[in-house]
Amino acid sequence: MNGPPIRIGLCGLGSIGRAAARLLLEHRTGFEIVGAATKEPEALGRPLHEVVGSSVPGGPAVVADMEEVLAAAPHVMVYATGSFLKETEDDIVDCAWAGVNVVSPCEELAFPFNRCTEAAARIDAAARKGGASVLGTGVNPGFLFDSLVVAATGVSWDVRAIRGRRAVNVAGFGENIHRRLGIGYTPEEFDEGHRAGTIAGHVGFPESIELVCERLGLWLDGPVSETFEPFVAATPAPTRYGHVEAGRTEGFLQRATGHIGGDLFIEIELILHLRPEEAGFATVDTLTIDGLHTVNLTLSPGMDAIPATSAQLVNSIPGVLHAAPGLRTVKDLPVAAAWHDLQNHPFR
């Protein structure tokens, strides 16, 4: 190993942040975790490996504030606290100003240039001034419905239309996540929640579609459209915290579409359900690139969101460290790949 190890900070130790920490501790070398922050009171002051459930001892004591992690001068921050830039923008800017690279699963960060233009400009300016690179990525957006789609078009003669579908069993998710997504409501509450913005569904479809179209050199007619169709439980639906009562939502179908030249060009569907197989939905991920040489891909079983997203974050670190300063997207960096020794990685 040449020189001191790369210094990594962690901010956010929810399901994604904890999985990323375990992956680093148990399967990667050539770095030092110099700080880890969370808002969960029961984690504060405890060793990182204990908090995240790692079998490999290591990492610092967990603290409450990201500023304490920044004070340890990390080279890169794995920032996993929220899906929306209104919640994460200030922290990301603080990291960038300090010259700390950022990799984050914040869905709106994956491609914010059209829907969050002011935040994108602010983050990009801070990153360029600080000499840092900032990347939003994960399994979706970041891989399945953007990077993988683009890769699949590489063996296409032409691309006439793109279709994708993902069905996920969410019975193992916690109650707070279910409520944010849209599970456990009456149909009336579900509709009102979407109108009010308190029920988010999946965040990131517009970002994925815009990434694909920009990479292909195509321009959408207008904003990406999204629709939601709730699935109402006919009988009580089991969860890890009890049951969702009959008459309340046990899942939904979310559809996003983009048009080019007046025609439907890309359509992506996501089914989140407490018991998808019983409802007739196979838990697989499928992609179709229509054209003279049609490409069909099926991942069976479909990717598990938490390990896939945490892996994408960790595996993107070498590319982020090597990237030019500024706000970047997955189309700007080399494809993330599993690495072993960060200190001696070829991107370094």
Side-chain angles (χ1 to χ4, degrees):
M1 182 179 293
N2 299 318
I6 304 300
R7 298 163 67 84
I8 296 177
L10 305 173
C11 184
L13 294 177
S15 56
I16 299 298
R18 290 178 184 232
R22 290 197 304 273
L23 172 54
L24 286 165
L25 290 170
E26 298 172 7
H27 298 282
R28 301 290 189 267
T29 63
F31 63 89
E32 178 185 3
I33 299 177
V34 296
T38 182
K39 296 300 183 184
E40 300 177 12
E42 67 276 8
L44 302 181
R46 295 166 56 197
L48 177 65
H49 75 274
E50 179 182 299
V51 171
V52 303
S54 174
S55 60
V56 177
V62 174
V63 299
D65 297 312
M66 188 187 74
E67 288 75 13
E68 294 184 63
V69 181
L70 286 178
H75 295 105
V76 61
M77 183 78 76
V78 179
Y79 183 87
T81 68
S83 297
F84 303 101
L85 281 174
K86 65 183 180 182
E87 304 165 350
T88 61
E89 176 186 348
D90 288 345
D91 281 351
I92 293 170
V93 166
D94 287 346
C95 290
W97 271 117
V100 178
N101 303 286
V102 177
V103 59
S104 172
C106 173
E107 288 91 334
E108 287 189 339
L109 186 64
F111 196 88
F113 307 103
N114 294 334
R115 296 207 303 164
C116 304
T117 54
E118 292 185 5
R122 183 174 175 234
I123 292 169
D124 185 58
R128 291 175 186 273
K129 288 285 188 180
S133 60
V134 175
L135 176 71
T137 190
V139 67
N140 185 29
F143 179 71
L144 180 61
F145 287 143
D146 35 64
S147 295
L148 185 59
V149 169
V150 169
T153 70
V155 291
S156 299
W157 279 42
D158 62 347
V159 181
R160 299 175 183 175
I162 296 170
R163 299 189 307 277
R165 171 177 271 206
R166 174 168 166 79
V168 181
N169 186 325
V170 296
F173 291 13
E175 184 174 10
N176 288 338
I177 296 177
H178 281 170
R179 299 293 287 181
R180 180 179 69 81
L181 289 172
I183 293 172
Y185 295 91
T186 67
E188 295 76 19
E189 291 171 341
F190 182 90
D191 292 340
E192 177 56 32
H194 276 298
R195 284 192 294 270
T198 57
I199 294 176
H202 167 68
V203 180
F205 272 152
E207 287 74 16
S208 289
I209 289 175
E210 289 163 357
L211 270 167
V212 169
C213 289
E214 180 165 300
R215 184 65 178 83
L216 297 181
L218 301 172
W219 287 266
L220 293 167
D221 293 345
V224 171
S225 298
E226 293 187 79
T227 60
F228 297 85
E229 176 188 338
F231 299 124
V232 178
T235 59
T239 72
R240 71 185 218 193
Y241 53 84
H243 285 78
V244 167
E245 298 175 2
R248 292 182 172 268
T249 54
E250 62 177 337
F252 57 88
L253 165 64
Q254 183 173 346
R255 179 181 293 111
T257 56
H259 289 74
I260 294 178
D263 296 324
L264 178 63
F265 176 71
I266 185 166
E267 179 179 81
I268 302 174
E269 295 180 337
L270 175 65
I271 295 167
L272 299 180
H273 206 289
L274 292 177
R275 39 190 180 184
E277 292 83 3
E278 293 181 34
F281 302 118
T283 51
V284 299
D285 303 330
T286 62
L287 296 173
T288 297
I289 313 296
D290 284 334
L292 290 173
H293 178 242
T294 297
V295 179
N296 293 293
L297 298 178
T298 298
L299 305 180
S300 179
M303 284 180 289
D304 190 323
I306 292 173
T309 296
S310 57
Q312 183 77 355
L313 292 174
V314 168
N315 293 333
S316 295
I317 289 174
V320 169
L321 290 170
H322 183 72
L327 175 55
R328 303 300 170 194
T329 72
V330 290
K331 70 179 181 59
D332 303 320
L333 274 63
V335 174
W339 50 269
H340 174 66
D341 182 348
L342 184 58
Q343 186 63 32
N344 294 309
H345 193 282
F347 289 161
R348 297 293 300 163

